[in-house]
Amino acid sequence: MSSAGVGPLCFIKSTVNAAVYLEIFMLLSADALYGEADFIFQQDLAPAHTAKSTKTYFNDHVITVLDWPANSPDLKPIENLWGISKRKMRDMRPNNAAELKVITDTSSSITPQQCHRLIGSMPCCSEAVIDGKGAQTKY
């Protein structure tokens, strides 16, 4: 997700290593959301995100990556986006992978304006985490 909206959802049957991460998430999502425009990228510290090949890719493509603390769900706008998706899917009970793909419809109904508000809330979220000395916040 970005302040421009939600990127394409991909259903992956393999483990997400650095190569899969770069191919699917960076090349498809970043290109779909931004094209050639500059952006600042936020990611957590998952192994695929911190791999040498991932860091090299970001350096080679001049992508600014926001320094980010580990285990910081209050500071991840994507967590709030998942909450929106879960509420939209509240009455659905998928039993298998094919039925789970209904999340694609739910995801496409999330507007760029909703995403923009989530990203725009980050200064307040950051301030609340700082004021709370890292404790859980209302965000």
Side-chain angles (χ1 to χ4, degrees):
M1 76 165 289
S2 77
S3 63
V6 177
L9 287 178
C10 301
F11 289 85
I12 303 166
K13 293 183 179 183
S14 67
T15 300
V16 177
N17 59 26
V20 171
Y21 176 64
L22 290 173
E23 177 182 340
I24 293 177
F25 296 105
M26 291 308 304
L27 297 179
L28 292 177
S29 295
D31 189 50
L33 291 168
Y34 290 107
E36 296 296 317
D38 290 335
F39 59 93
I40 298 173
F41 191 69
Q42 176 190 356
Q43 61 185 4
D44 59 24
L45 299 176
H49 303 172
T50 58
K52 184 183 274 190
S53 59
T54 302
K55 291 178 181 181
T56 300
Y57 177 88
F58 289 142
N59 286 331
D60 291 349
H61 291 84
V62 194
I63 296 173
T64 303
V65 179
L66 190 62
D67 287 332
W68 213 247
N71 302 319
S72 56
D74 287 346
L75 297 175
K76 292 182 185 174
I78 191 83
E79 297 298 333
N80 293 317
L81 183 75
W82 286 123
I84 292 168
S85 294
K86 285 178 186 178
R87 283 190 295 279
K88 289 181 181 230
M89 294 179 58
R90 183 172 294 142
D91 296 328
M92 299 176 203
R93 300 283 187 254
N95 293 311
N96 55 47
E99 291 177 9
L100 182 60
K101 290 186 179 183
V102 72
I103 195 171
T104 303
D105 297 332
T106 302
S107 174
S108 64
S109 72
I110 296 171
T111 67
Q113 292 81 8
Q114 286 175 299
C115 293
H116 188 76
R117 279 194 302 273
L118 290 174
I119 300 295
S121 72
M122 293 315 298
C124 291
C125 293
S126 299
E127 189 174 313
V129 169
I130 292 168
D131 290 346
K133 297 182 177 22
Q136 186 176 2
T137 71
K138 69 177 183 169
Y139 293 100

